[in-house]
Amino acid sequence: RTWDRQLVVSHRETVFTCEFKVTDRNVLATGSYDGVVKLWDVTRVEPTDTFAPDAGVVYSIAWPSTPDDDRMAVATSKGRVLIIETGAQRKGAVLHSHQLHSGLVY
């Protein structure tokens, strides 16, 4: 029940997606109707970072499978796919924003 409580407290709206980082299973990313992406330390059950890319509702998140890649892909309700840096140097930076769809992207 700890996770339920933390998710409710940390996101203002419904969480639509959660994905473990492929190369580090102690990192979980969650995306929500509130348009926020959060990174979690699963060993402490606490959010470590919060990104609000202003791209609409976050419907899905995907991590790369290569060990040295700290980017994530985020699909949104505004038809955008964002590539967000999660590494230390440019944490939270939107590296690419692709507007290839006219509607929702899941």
Side-chain angles (χ1 to χ4, degrees):
R1 300 284 171 190
T2 302
W3 276 106
D4 292 342
R5 184 179 161 282
Q6 279 297 87
L7 286 173
V8 168
V9 171
S10 295
H11 281 286
R12 294 185 326 240
E13 296 286 345
T14 304
V15 173
F16 286 130
T17 185
C18 59
E19 291 291 330
F20 283 98
K21 186 172 183 181
V22 176
T23 58
D24 184 353
R25 293 299 186 175
N26 289 323
V27 176
L28 177 72
T30 57
S32 174
Y33 188 85
D34 58 14
V36 171
V37 174
K38 289 188 177 280
L39 299 184
W40 297 79
D41 177 338
V42 299
T43 62
R44 296 186 334 220
V45 192
E46 292 179 1
T48 58
D49 294 291
T50 300
F51 310 128
D54 192 30
V57 175
V58 175
Y59 285 126
S60 64
I61 295 169
W63 292 96
S65 59
T66 51
D68 296 331
D69 197 341
D70 287 322
R71 298 172 297 170
M72 71 166 64
V74 175
T76 74
S77 64
K78 292 185 179 177
R80 293 168 62 189
V81 175
L82 309 174
I83 306 300
I84 298 176
E85 176 65 45
T86 65
Q89 289 191 357
R90 296 188 61 200
K91 190 174 283 190
V94 176
L95 303 176
H96 302 286
S97 177
H98 304 282
Q99 183 75 46
L100 302 175
H101 302 275
S102 60
L104 307 174
V105 178
Y106 294 96

